[in-house]
Amino acid sequence: MGRFRDRMDDDLRIRGYSANTRASYLRCVRHFVRHFMRRPDQLTPEHIRQYQLYLTRDRRVFWAYFNQIVCALRFFYRQVLRAKPTLAPSDGGRPAPGPCHRDIICH
């Protein structure tokens, strides 16, 4: 990711994000880019949609992690690449629940 990573880290610092949030957002974007094995500026809104489906259908990630990824990608595309991709809402419209702990009854 190179220059995009540096630019994103700088933009996160300028906006006062904590070190933990910066590390999480950078990790989320890095995993997204590695999933498609392309440069970040070559990934389209359709790639974002496919990744969100992968996270909810195949990986069945928990809502909090899904939301973190959405926020990281939104920041990356809007602030670093200056694009306006369509992303799933980061509030309200939760995806299917992730795997349950064996001691918790899922309804």
Side-chain angles (χ1 to χ4, degrees):
M1 230 170 74
R3 66 183 171 103
F4 294 115
R5 184 215 176 278
D6 295 341
R7 171 74 188 257
M8 183 170 176
D9 193 37
D10 290 345
D11 287 349
L12 287 165
R13 283 178 191 272
I14 289 168
R15 287 167 178 78
Y17 284 76
S18 72
N20 287 338
T21 302
R22 290 194 322 266
S24 295
Y25 275 28
L26 291 167
R27 185 174 45 255
C28 290
V29 174
R30 183 175 64 242
H31 289 170
F32 170 66
V33 170
R34 283 185 181 168
H35 180 78
F36 291 103
M37 301 295 284
R38 292 186 181 175
R39 288 185 9 215
D41 58 339
Q42 294 176 341
L43 297 171
T44 66
E46 181 58 28
H47 288 105
I48 295 170
R49 182 179 175 285
Q50 289 173 10
Y51 190 63
Q52 289 174 325
L53 288 172
Y54 161 74
L55 293 171
T56 57
R57 288 183 184 166
D58 300 338
R59 295 226 10 237
R60 295 185 52 91
V61 299
F62 286 104
W63 169 250
Y65 183 58
F66 179 83
N67 187 49
Q68 182 179 56
I69 293 168
V70 168
C71 291
L73 291 174
R74 182 176 289 127
F75 183 91
F76 179 73
Y77 276 89
R78 289 185 179 170
Q79 301 302 321
V80 178
L81 295 182
R82 302 287 186 207
K84 300 279 185 190
T86 303
L87 292 155
S90 60
D91 57 339
R94 294 175 180 244
C100 292
H101 188 274
R102 64 183 167 171
D103 297 331
I104 300 173
I105 298 171
C106 293
H107 298 283

